Short mmCIF file of all heavy atoms in Angstrom, two decimals:
data_model
loop_
_atom_site.label_atom_id
_atom_site.label_comp_id
_atom_site.label_asym_id
_atom_site.label_seq_id
_atom_site.Cartn_x
_atom_site.Cartn_y
_atom_site.Cartn_z
N ALA C 184 4.56 -304.26 -20.32
CA ALA C 184 4.82 -303.02 -19.59
C ALA C 184 3.75 -303.00 -18.44
O ALA C 184 2.68 -303.28 -18.64
CB ALA C 184 4.74 -301.88 -20.49
N SER C 185 4.20 -302.26 -17.50
CA SER C 185 3.34 -302.22 -16.38
C SER C 185 2.33 -301.12 -16.63
O SER C 185 1.22 -301.34 -16.07
CB SER C 185 4.19 -301.71 -15.04
OG SER C 185 4.79 -300.47 -15.36
N ARG C 186 2.59 -300.20 -17.44
CA ARG C 186 1.58 -299.17 -17.83
C ARG C 186 0.49 -299.70 -18.52
O ARG C 186 -0.68 -299.17 -18.57
CB ARG C 186 2.35 -298.10 -18.57
CG ARG C 186 2.77 -298.40 -19.98
CD ARG C 186 3.38 -297.19 -20.64
NE ARG C 186 3.79 -297.49 -22.04
CZ ARG C 186 5.05 -298.06 -22.20
NH1 ARG C 186 5.92 -298.22 -21.27
NH2 ARG C 186 5.40 -298.33 -23.52
N GLU C 187 0.74 -300.89 -19.23
CA GLU C 187 -0.29 -301.51 -20.09
C GLU C 187 -1.37 -302.15 -19.12
O GLU C 187 -2.43 -302.37 -19.47
CB GLU C 187 0.30 -302.58 -20.89
CG GLU C 187 -0.62 -302.99 -22.06
CD GLU C 187 0.14 -303.85 -23.09
OE1 GLU C 187 0.92 -303.22 -23.80
OE2 GLU C 187 -0.20 -305.02 -23.19
N ALA C 188 -0.86 -302.50 -17.99
CA ALA C 188 -1.71 -303.19 -17.01
C ALA C 188 -2.42 -302.23 -15.97
O ALA C 188 -3.09 -302.57 -15.07
CB ALA C 188 -1.08 -304.29 -16.18
N THR C 189 -2.09 -301.00 -16.27
CA THR C 189 -2.73 -300.00 -15.31
C THR C 189 -4.28 -300.05 -15.37
O THR C 189 -4.85 -300.26 -16.43
CB THR C 189 -2.30 -298.51 -15.75
OG1 THR C 189 -0.81 -298.52 -15.86
CG2 THR C 189 -2.90 -297.49 -14.88
N ALA C 190 -4.87 -299.80 -14.23
CA ALA C 190 -6.29 -299.83 -14.17
C ALA C 190 -6.99 -298.91 -15.04
O ALA C 190 -6.47 -297.76 -15.22
CB ALA C 190 -6.73 -299.56 -12.68
N PRO C 191 -7.95 -299.26 -15.72
CA PRO C 191 -8.77 -298.46 -16.69
C PRO C 191 -9.23 -297.10 -16.19
O PRO C 191 -9.06 -296.11 -16.57
CB PRO C 191 -9.94 -299.35 -17.20
CG PRO C 191 -9.46 -300.76 -16.80
CD PRO C 191 -8.61 -300.57 -15.76
N LEU C 192 -9.64 -297.35 -14.84
CA LEU C 192 -10.15 -296.08 -14.14
C LEU C 192 -9.09 -295.00 -13.99
O LEU C 192 -9.34 -293.77 -14.29
CB LEU C 192 -10.66 -296.53 -12.90
CG LEU C 192 -11.21 -295.37 -11.98
CD1 LEU C 192 -12.46 -294.60 -12.71
CD2 LEU C 192 -11.80 -295.90 -10.56
N ARG C 193 -7.83 -295.39 -13.64
CA ARG C 193 -6.80 -294.32 -13.40
C ARG C 193 -6.32 -293.76 -14.65
O ARG C 193 -6.30 -292.57 -14.84
CB ARG C 193 -5.58 -295.04 -12.77
CG ARG C 193 -4.50 -294.10 -12.35
CD ARG C 193 -3.24 -294.88 -11.86
NE ARG C 193 -3.71 -295.96 -10.99
CZ ARG C 193 -2.81 -296.95 -10.62
NH1 ARG C 193 -1.64 -297.07 -11.12
NH2 ARG C 193 -3.19 -298.04 -9.86
N GLU C 194 -6.22 -294.59 -15.84
CA GLU C 194 -5.89 -293.91 -17.11
C GLU C 194 -6.93 -293.08 -17.67
O GLU C 194 -6.65 -292.04 -18.24
CB GLU C 194 -5.43 -295.05 -17.98
CG GLU C 194 -4.84 -294.57 -19.38
CD GLU C 194 -4.20 -295.66 -20.22
OE1 GLU C 194 -4.04 -296.77 -19.56
OE2 GLU C 194 -3.89 -295.45 -21.35
N ALA C 195 -8.12 -293.50 -17.53
CA ALA C 195 -9.24 -292.77 -18.14
C ALA C 195 -9.34 -291.42 -17.38
O ALA C 195 -9.61 -290.33 -18.04
CB ALA C 195 -10.60 -293.53 -18.01
N ALA C 196 -9.20 -291.48 -16.01
CA ALA C 196 -9.40 -290.25 -15.32
C ALA C 196 -8.30 -289.24 -15.61
O ALA C 196 -8.40 -288.08 -15.59
CB ALA C 196 -9.36 -290.56 -13.76
N SER C 197 -7.11 -289.78 -15.91
CA SER C 197 -5.95 -288.75 -16.05
C SER C 197 -6.09 -288.07 -17.33
O SER C 197 -5.41 -287.10 -17.64
CB SER C 197 -4.63 -289.69 -16.07
OG SER C 197 -4.46 -290.49 -17.20
N VAL C 198 -6.99 -288.54 -18.33
CA VAL C 198 -7.05 -287.89 -19.61
C VAL C 198 -7.54 -286.41 -19.47
O VAL C 198 -7.30 -285.58 -20.10
CB VAL C 198 -7.96 -288.69 -20.52
CG1 VAL C 198 -8.35 -287.95 -21.80
CG2 VAL C 198 -7.22 -290.02 -20.83
N ARG C 199 -8.47 -286.25 -18.50
CA ARG C 199 -9.04 -285.00 -18.28
C ARG C 199 -8.10 -283.85 -17.99
O ARG C 199 -8.40 -282.75 -18.37
CB ARG C 199 -10.11 -285.05 -17.11
CG ARG C 199 -11.29 -286.04 -17.34
CD ARG C 199 -11.99 -286.18 -16.14
NE ARG C 199 -11.21 -286.72 -14.97
CZ ARG C 199 -11.73 -286.81 -13.71
NH1 ARG C 199 -12.96 -286.36 -13.46
NH2 ARG C 199 -10.92 -287.28 -12.69
N ASP C 200 -7.00 -284.16 -17.32
CA ASP C 200 -6.18 -283.02 -16.91
C ASP C 200 -4.98 -282.90 -17.90
O ASP C 200 -4.07 -281.96 -17.55
CB ASP C 200 -5.63 -283.36 -15.50
CG ASP C 200 -6.78 -283.58 -14.55
OD1 ASP C 200 -7.76 -282.88 -14.70
OD2 ASP C 200 -6.74 -284.40 -13.72
N LYS C 201 -4.89 -283.62 -19.02
CA LYS C 201 -3.82 -283.38 -19.97
C LYS C 201 -3.88 -282.21 -20.77
O LYS C 201 -5.03 -281.78 -21.12
CB LYS C 201 -3.67 -284.56 -20.79
CG LYS C 201 -3.28 -285.94 -20.07
CD LYS C 201 -3.11 -287.01 -21.06
CE LYS C 201 -2.46 -288.27 -20.41
NZ LYS C 201 -2.28 -289.42 -21.31
N ASP C 202 -2.77 -281.41 -20.85
CA ASP C 202 -2.74 -280.27 -21.72
C ASP C 202 -2.58 -280.80 -23.17
O ASP C 202 -2.61 -282.05 -23.52
CB ASP C 202 -1.57 -279.46 -21.39
CG ASP C 202 -1.65 -278.86 -20.02
OD1 ASP C 202 -2.87 -278.54 -19.63
OD2 ASP C 202 -0.74 -278.64 -19.45
N ARG C 203 -2.55 -279.88 -24.17
CA ARG C 203 -2.25 -280.20 -25.61
C ARG C 203 -0.97 -279.93 -26.05
O ARG C 203 -0.54 -278.93 -26.66
CB ARG C 203 -3.30 -279.36 -26.44
CG ARG C 203 -4.71 -279.68 -26.11
CD ARG C 203 -5.66 -278.77 -26.98
NE ARG C 203 -5.34 -278.88 -28.34
CZ ARG C 203 -5.87 -278.13 -29.38
NH1 ARG C 203 -6.85 -277.23 -28.88
NH2 ARG C 203 -5.59 -278.34 -30.60
N PRO C 204 0.06 -281.02 -25.83
CA PRO C 204 1.37 -280.81 -26.28
C PRO C 204 1.31 -280.87 -27.82
O PRO C 204 0.42 -281.15 -28.42
CB PRO C 204 2.11 -281.98 -25.77
CG PRO C 204 0.97 -283.02 -25.54
CD PRO C 204 -0.22 -282.26 -25.16
N HIS C 205 2.48 -280.59 -28.42
CA HIS C 205 2.68 -280.54 -29.84
C HIS C 205 2.42 -281.98 -30.31
O HIS C 205 2.88 -283.00 -29.84
CB HIS C 205 4.10 -280.09 -30.30
CG HIS C 205 4.18 -279.92 -31.76
ND1 HIS C 205 4.58 -280.87 -32.57
CD2 HIS C 205 4.00 -278.87 -32.53
CE1 HIS C 205 4.62 -280.43 -33.85
NE2 HIS C 205 4.26 -279.09 -33.84
N ILE C 206 1.76 -282.20 -31.60
CA ILE C 206 1.39 -283.44 -32.01
C ILE C 206 2.64 -284.18 -32.42
O ILE C 206 3.63 -283.63 -32.99
CB ILE C 206 0.52 -283.16 -33.33
CG1 ILE C 206 -0.06 -284.57 -33.78
CG2 ILE C 206 1.15 -282.54 -34.44
CD1 ILE C 206 -1.15 -284.51 -34.76
N LYS C 207 2.64 -285.48 -32.19
CA LYS C 207 3.81 -286.36 -32.56
C LYS C 207 3.92 -286.51 -33.99
O LYS C 207 2.97 -286.71 -34.72
CB LYS C 207 3.77 -287.78 -31.87
CG LYS C 207 3.95 -287.66 -30.34
CD LYS C 207 3.98 -289.12 -29.81
CE LYS C 207 4.30 -288.95 -28.25
NZ LYS C 207 5.67 -288.69 -28.04
N ALA C 208 5.25 -286.52 -34.54
CA ALA C 208 5.37 -286.82 -35.91
C ALA C 208 5.34 -288.32 -36.21
O ALA C 208 5.55 -289.11 -35.27
CB ALA C 208 6.71 -286.25 -36.26
N PRO C 209 4.98 -288.66 -37.41
CA PRO C 209 4.97 -289.97 -37.72
C PRO C 209 6.28 -290.72 -37.50
O PRO C 209 7.43 -290.14 -37.64
CB PRO C 209 4.71 -290.16 -39.15
CG PRO C 209 4.01 -288.83 -39.50
CD PRO C 209 4.69 -287.73 -38.54
N ASP C 210 6.27 -292.09 -37.17
CA ASP C 210 7.59 -292.79 -37.06
C ASP C 210 8.39 -292.74 -38.26
O ASP C 210 7.90 -292.69 -39.32
CB ASP C 210 7.25 -294.19 -36.73
CG ASP C 210 6.79 -294.47 -35.22
OD1 ASP C 210 6.94 -293.40 -34.54
OD2 ASP C 210 6.43 -295.46 -34.92
N ASN C 211 9.68 -292.83 -38.14
CA ASN C 211 10.56 -292.79 -39.16
C ASN C 211 10.59 -291.57 -40.03
O ASN C 211 11.02 -291.47 -41.27
CB ASN C 211 10.33 -293.99 -40.16
CG ASN C 211 11.64 -294.43 -40.90
OD1 ASN C 211 12.72 -294.24 -40.28
ND2 ASN C 211 11.41 -295.05 -41.95
N GLY C 212 9.86 -290.47 -39.49
CA GLY C 212 9.99 -289.19 -40.05
C GLY C 212 8.98 -288.87 -41.07
O GLY C 212 8.58 -287.90 -41.15
N THR C 213 8.67 -289.82 -42.00
CA THR C 213 7.92 -289.66 -43.14
C THR C 213 7.08 -290.81 -43.52
O THR C 213 7.49 -291.97 -43.16
CB THR C 213 8.78 -289.10 -44.37
OG1 THR C 213 7.87 -289.02 -45.49
CG2 THR C 213 9.77 -290.26 -44.74
N CYS C 214 6.06 -290.67 -44.28
CA CYS C 214 5.21 -291.73 -44.78
C CYS C 214 5.74 -292.20 -46.18
O CYS C 214 4.93 -292.82 -46.89
CB CYS C 214 3.73 -291.31 -44.86
SG CYS C 214 3.14 -290.68 -43.30
N GLY C 215 6.87 -291.81 -46.47
CA GLY C 215 7.36 -292.01 -47.99
C GLY C 215 7.64 -293.49 -48.35
O GLY C 215 7.29 -294.29 -47.70
N ALA C 216 8.42 -293.48 -49.43
CA ALA C 216 8.77 -294.85 -49.99
C ALA C 216 9.54 -295.65 -49.16
O ALA C 216 10.32 -295.26 -48.24
CB ALA C 216 9.30 -294.71 -51.46
N TRP C 217 9.54 -297.00 -49.55
CA TRP C 217 10.45 -297.92 -48.77
C TRP C 217 11.86 -297.76 -49.17
O TRP C 217 12.22 -297.38 -50.30
CB TRP C 217 9.94 -299.35 -49.22
CG TRP C 217 8.74 -299.84 -48.38
CD1 TRP C 217 7.39 -299.43 -48.81
CD2 TRP C 217 8.67 -300.74 -47.43
NE1 TRP C 217 6.55 -300.09 -47.93
CE2 TRP C 217 7.28 -300.86 -47.17
CE3 TRP C 217 9.54 -301.50 -46.69
CZ2 TRP C 217 6.84 -301.65 -46.14
CZ3 TRP C 217 9.04 -302.44 -45.71
CH2 TRP C 217 7.61 -302.46 -45.49
N ALA C 218 12.75 -298.14 -48.17
CA ALA C 218 14.11 -298.26 -48.55
C ALA C 218 14.38 -299.45 -49.37
O ALA C 218 13.58 -300.54 -49.28
CB ALA C 218 14.92 -298.27 -47.30
N SER C 219 15.31 -299.52 -50.29
CA SER C 219 15.53 -300.59 -51.10
C SER C 219 15.86 -301.97 -50.33
O SER C 219 15.62 -303.00 -50.92
CB SER C 219 16.68 -300.34 -52.27
OG SER C 219 17.85 -300.10 -51.48
N SER C 220 16.43 -301.73 -49.21
CA SER C 220 16.87 -302.88 -48.44
C SER C 220 15.76 -303.49 -47.71
O SER C 220 15.92 -304.48 -46.91
CB SER C 220 17.98 -302.54 -47.54
OG SER C 220 17.74 -301.50 -46.71
N ALA C 221 14.59 -302.86 -47.60
CA ALA C 221 13.39 -303.34 -46.85
C ALA C 221 13.68 -303.33 -45.37
O ALA C 221 13.19 -304.21 -44.70
CB ALA C 221 12.97 -304.61 -47.33
#
Side-chain angles (χ1 to χ4, degrees):
S185 59
R186 65 177 180 275
E187 195 172 292
T189 304
L192 178 60
R193 188 186 315 164
E194 185 166 347
S197 66
V198 172
R199 294 175 298 174
D200 304 322
K201 288 185 179 179
D202 295 326
R203 293 178 57 184
H205 189 272
I206 187 168
K207 287 185 178 289
D210 281 356
N211 205 27
T213 177
C214 307
W217 284 74
S219 59
S220 60

